[in-house]
Amino acid sequence: MDLRKLSTINALSDAVTICEFQGVKIVRVIHDTAEAGISLHGGHLIWFKPSGEQDVIWLSEKAEFDTTKAIRGGIPVCWPWFGKAATPSHGFARNSQWTLKEHRENSNGVIISLMLEDSESTREMWPHKFKNELIFEIGTELKVHLTSTNIDDHSWSYGGALHTYFTVADINTIEITGMGKEYNDSTQSGKIAEGGDTLIFTQEVDRVYTSPQDIIEINDKNNQRQIAVENQGHNAAVIWNPWQELSINMSDMADNSFETMVCVESTIHGQGIELAPGQSHTLSTLISVKK
């Protein structure tokens, strides 16, 4: 099923429509500058394509649209923790139903704003009151901002990531720079390690880079393009590719699909961000493509 060609169930404007797939509502953007789709389940961007360019965001051909689990690919929102710090893994935001708050558009593109607030079910998993606003600025570039606000009467800390999956022509030929040298290697139980200035892929990579530059670049050689990933509000960058063995063991990934994807994530890792009542913090990523 080509999600971009789903029937419209509600037209919000010339550029923004609502469609639905297997019970999951999708905000679809078709604008002169770009096309995008955002699932309200998870607040999850599932495709982004600047006009005249190739797809930038990878979505598994076997992705499961099921409101009880996260979608494989796109930009999952990991919040209020990253990894297996608690249950469910990567937090509950990527499995929650977000609300469309606002949409705006002009000649430069479209802005979509989603909201997620605490509820009885979220407080059973994480006993704090919060308000999250997730803003997508869709144009020739893609900007994603996640602003978390403490609306409780006590301080709390949180972590998370904008877990972006990028489409590449061939994982064997890409190069990544700007991630820094020091990292925790999750394939070696979090062992602290040091690498070079350029990352190439010959096996599974699951790394938390602890001193990344603000801009990380993916040299997607066979697609003749550079993808720049500019992160803010983070303290780490995660880079991940599952390689074949893990791909085979994932029901929502094809056996060889690791060959055409790589994750580069704006991440709040470790102790996270502490917010006093009324305070906010924004985690963001800006994605741009050049030939």
Side-chain angles (χ1 to χ4, degrees), residues 187-222:
T187 68
Q188 300 185 65
S189 302
K191 177 182 176 181
I192 298 173
E194 185 171 304
D197 294 323
T198 301
L199 173 63
I200 60 174
F201 294 80
T202 58
Q203 60 187 353
E204 178 191 353
V205 169
D206 190 355
R207 300 177 179 180
V208 180
Y209 282 88
T210 52
S211 299
Q213 298 177 24
D214 288 342
I215 300 178
I216 298 173
E217 288 199 331
I218 304 168
N219 183 5
D220 185 12
K221 294 181 180 180
N222 290 12

Side-chain angles (χ1 to χ4, degrees), residues 221-275:
K221 294 181 180 180
N222 290 12
N223 277 330
Q224 299 181 329
R225 65 180 181 179
Q226 293 267 357
I227 302 172
V229 187
E230 182 175 352
N231 297 326
Q232 294 183 341
H234 62 304
N235 63 10
V238 171
I239 297 181
W240 179 65
N241 181 282
W243 221 245
Q244 186 153 44
E245 184 177 351
L246 278 183
S247 297
I248 290 172
N249 291 327
M250 293 181 185
S251 62
D252 56 359
M253 282 187 73
D255 292 353
N256 292 319
S257 57
F258 74 95
E259 295 176 342
T260 58
M261 57 73 63
V262 67
C263 288
V264 179
E265 310 170 28
S266 181
T267 307
I268 299 171
H269 189 254
Q271 295 299 313
I273 300 293
E274 182 172 348
L275 295 180

